């Protein structure tokens, strides 16, 4: 019998967390597992079309959101962060109907889904994809407690997230990277536009400029070091 996994995604379609989850589900062994996705991000952005391409059902249940930062931050007030701690009846109905063996929550802000799942006694995996700040006056203080209390397992994607939690439930699994055909084609376009010879090595990196630990600064430094070691390299 197939094991049913109910995934909750709380990020927009353009988010790295959303893309990483998509690749995870895309490569899931369908002879063993049956996935179902619930998108809780409050703005419908066409994510169901993305999942239709891999034959996965997608349900849209917008919920209140909580963001890493001060409780009185503008986006926490606008998204009604305090209301995320109540059970969502639509999620309850979906859980009862789908009857999952496991619930997987993608990223930190899907608190409503996690609380609802926990109250149903269903095993819960919470995927931490961001190094939340856990000082007392920030939402991260409570998010950390919820992660550790509600989850059966916590998956972190790198060392900064892993170091946050003081529990044996935590595991570190780096994000997979799937190079699509269009990414390969994009490199050909870049070479042609910049007139880069095929003999030259072209490195493109999907890195986040806004978050220091995700590698943008190190990547830029490495380019400088390569040039310093070998001045004849064209960059």
């Amino acid at each position: 019998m197939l094991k049913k996994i109910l995934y909750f995604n709380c990020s927009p379609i353009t988010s790295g967390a959303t893309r990483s989850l998509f690749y995870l589900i895309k490569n899931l062994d369908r002879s063993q597992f049956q996935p179902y996705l619930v998108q809780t991000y409050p703005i419908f952005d066409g994510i169901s079309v993305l999942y239709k391409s891999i034959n996965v059902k997608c349900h849209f249940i917008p919920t209140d959101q909580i963001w890493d930062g001060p409780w009185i931050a503008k986006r926490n007030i606008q998204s009604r962060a305090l209301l995320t701690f109540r059970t969502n009846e639509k999620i309850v109905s979906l859980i009862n109907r789908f009857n999952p063996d496991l619930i997987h929550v993608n990223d930190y802000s899907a608190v409503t889904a996690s609380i609802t799942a926990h109250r149903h006694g269903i095993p819960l995996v919470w995927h931490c994809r961001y190094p939340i700040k856990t000082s007392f006056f920030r939402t991260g203080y409570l998010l950390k407690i919820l992660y550790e209390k509600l989850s059966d397992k916590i998956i972190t994607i790198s060392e900064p997230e892993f170091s946050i939690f003081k529990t044996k439930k935590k595991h570190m699994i780096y994000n997979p990277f799937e190079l699509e055909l269009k990414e390969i084609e994009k490199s050909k376009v870049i070479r042609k536009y910049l007139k880069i010879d095929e003999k030259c090595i072209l490195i493109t990196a999907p890195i986040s400029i806004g978050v220091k630990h995700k590698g943008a600064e190190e990547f830029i430094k490495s380019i400088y070091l390569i040039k310093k070691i070998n001045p004849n390299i064209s960059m």
Side-chain angles (χ1 to χ4, degrees):
M1 184 178 292
L2 293 177
K3 294 291 185 181
K4 297 179 180 179
I5 306 178
L6 187 57
Y7 293 91
F8 285 89
N9 185 59
C10 60
S11 304
I13 194 170
T14 54
S15 164
T18 298
R19 184 172 181 177
S20 181
L21 180 66
F22 173 75
Y23 289 142
L24 187 156
I25 296 175
K26 180 182 177 181
N27 292 295
L28 201 65
D29 183 354
R30 300 293 181 86
S31 68
Q32 300 289 326
F33 304 103
Q34 179 184 351
Y36 192 107
L37 182 86
V38 178
Q39 177 75 345
T40 63
Y41 187 70
I43 300 173
F44 183 74
D45 52 13
I47 197 169
S48 58
V49 177
L50 183 67
Y51 277 91
K52 188 177 180 181
S53 69
I54 58 170
N55 197 29
V56 173
K57 290 183 179 179
C58 180
H59 204 82
F60 181 57
I61 303 179
T63 64
D64 302 302
Q65 302 282 296
I66 186 170
W67 304 97
D68 179 37
W71 286 99
I72 58 173
K74 183 178 179 180
R75 63 178 181 174
N76 273 322
I77 294 173
Q78 289 178 336
S79 64
R80 307 189 301 176
L82 290 173
L83 298 182
T84 60
F85 302 101
R86 61 182 182 178
T87 299
N88 184 292
E89 292 305 315
K90 289 184 178 180
I91 293 177
V92 170
S93 176
L94 186 63
I95 288 175
N96 289 334
R97 191 166 70 249
F98 187 65
N99 192 25
D101 297 287
L102 176 72
I103 288 179
H104 182 135
V105 172
N106 195 44
D107 220 350
Y108 66 84
S109 62
V111 173
T112 300
S114 301
I115 288 175
T116 306
H118 181 73
R119 289 175 181 171
H120 275 67
I122 300 169
L124 175 68
V125 173
W126 203 338
H127 214 136
C128 180
R129 298 182 178 275
Y130 187 84
I132 52 178
K133 295 179 175 61
T134 57
S135 58
F136 185 76
F137 294 103
R138 298 176 65 95
T139 57
Y141 177 81
L142 186 54
L143 285 170
K144 176 182 179 293
I145 293 173
L146 287 173
Y147 260 110
E148 296 178 338
K149 181 179 179 181
L150 302 182
S151 307
D152 293 277
K153 298 291 181 182
I154 299 171
I155 299 175
T156 62
I157 63 168
S158 65
E159 289 78 2
E161 289 85 4
F162 187 81
S163 64
I164 294 170
F165 304 103
K166 310 302 179 185
T167 173
K168 293 181 179 179
K169 297 178 181 180
K170 65 180 180 178
H171 301 271
M172 184 165 63
I173 303 175
Y174 295 114
N175 280 341
F177 180 72
E178 182 167 315
L179 191 62
E180 296 179 347
L181 180 61
K182 64 181 179 182
E183 298 291 342
I184 298 172
E185 292 297 322
K186 190 186 296 182
S187 69
K188 293 179 180 178
V189 173
I190 293 172
R191 281 185 182 278
K192 185 176 180 181
Y193 180 76
L194 297 177
K195 298 179 180 178
I196 300 173
D197 190 272
E198 289 292 335
K199 295 179 181 179
C200 296
I201 297 173
L202 175 65
I203 301 174
T204 59
I207 53 178
S208 173
I209 299 299
V211 184
K212 185 177 180 179
H213 85 276
K214 289 191 175 182
E217 190 174 309
E218 285 74 13
F219 180 68
I220 293 168
K221 287 178 180 177
S222 70
I223 295 173
Y224 169 75
L225 289 173
I226 292 170
K227 180 68 174 177
K228 188 176 180 180
I229 293 168
N230 193 338
N232 295 323
I233 292 178
S234 298
M235 292 186 174

